[in-house]
């Protein structure tokens, strides 16, 4: 749609230290806009000291956000740890425990389904391995 944006995740997890090369091709729904090609070139050595290892914890922007009833929450863990992902309302009350358990190191996603919640501003919080981060979510009905 005009004036909309999309987040695209490209995650390379090389199993060995190697170079990689790819092309991300983006084509508009409007054929008159054409095609954009973005080359992606890199080396596992430039990103990782060890293959397939994250070096920090992170809670990424949920997608879509704002959302209607379902959104995907993506987070990265630098090491295996007990992990808690919770949705809070604007007053700080726990609304939904999205995930509560043990996760291995790496990238993970959790799906939030908010069919029974009213429209409004919410916060998703990641607590894991001594790390804590929150992100804003907007539920629109």
């Amino acid at each position: 749609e005009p004036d909309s944006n999309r987040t695209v995740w490209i995650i390379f997890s090389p199993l060995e230290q190697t170079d990689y090369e790819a092309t991300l091709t983006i084509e508009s729904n409007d054929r008159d806009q054409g095609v954009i090609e973005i080359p992606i070139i890199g080396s596992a050595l430039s990103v990782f000291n060890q293959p397939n290892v994250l070096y920090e914890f992170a809670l990424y922007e949920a997608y879509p956000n704002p959302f209607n009833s379902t959104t995907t929450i993506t987070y990265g863990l630098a090491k295996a740890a007990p992990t808690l992902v919770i949705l809070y309302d604007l007053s700080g009350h726990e609304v939904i425990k999205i995930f509560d358990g043990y996760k291995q190191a790496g990238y993970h996603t959790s799906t939030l389904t908010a069919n029974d919640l009213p429209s409004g501003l919410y916060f998703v919080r990641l607590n894991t391995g001594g790390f804590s981060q929150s992100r804003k979510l907007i539920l629109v009905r």
Side-chain angles (χ1 to χ4, degrees):
E1 296 181 20
D3 298 321
S4 67
N5 61 41
R6 302 268 178 168
T7 301
V8 177
W9 294 93
I10 301 174
I11 301 170
F12 291 95
S13 297
L15 298 176
E16 57 187 55
Q17 294 180 346
T18 184
D19 294 335
Y20 53 86
E21 187 172 334
T23 301
L24 173 63
T25 303
I26 302 171
E27 185 174 343
S28 172
N29 288 340
D30 181 354
R31 295 286 179 193
D32 295 333
Q33 296 296 318
V35 174
I36 300 170
E37 291 189 350
I38 303 169
I40 302 170
I41 302 170
S43 168
L45 291 172
S46 67
V47 179
F48 305 106
N49 288 331
Q50 296 178 22
N52 214 21
V53 176
L54 294 175
Y55 289 99
E56 61 186 25
F57 292 93
L59 174 62
Y60 303 103
E61 290 292 333
Y63 181 79
N65 188 21
F67 69 104
N68 185 333
S69 61
T70 303
T71 190
T72 300
I73 299 159
T74 304
Y75 47 98
L77 307 183
K79 63 181 179 180
T83 301
L84 187 58
V85 180
I86 298 178
L87 183 71
Y88 293 94
D89 64 16
L90 194 54
S91 63
H93 293 104
E94 181 179 319
V95 177
I96 298 173
K97 197 172 287 186
I98 300 166
F99 181 83
D100 183 6
Y102 195 83
K103 288 279 191 185
Q104 295 296 322
Y107 293 98
H108 302 279
T109 60
S110 293
T111 301
L112 167 63
T113 303
N115 290 332
D116 298 330
L117 296 178
S119 296
L121 180 63
Y122 294 87
F123 294 92
V124 62
R125 184 166 196 84
L126 169 67
N127 293 315
T128 184
F131 172 85
S132 184
Q133 185 176 6
S134 297
R135 295 275 184 181
K136 179 173 49 174
L137 294 176
I138 301 171
L139 175 59
V140 180
R141 298 261 179 226

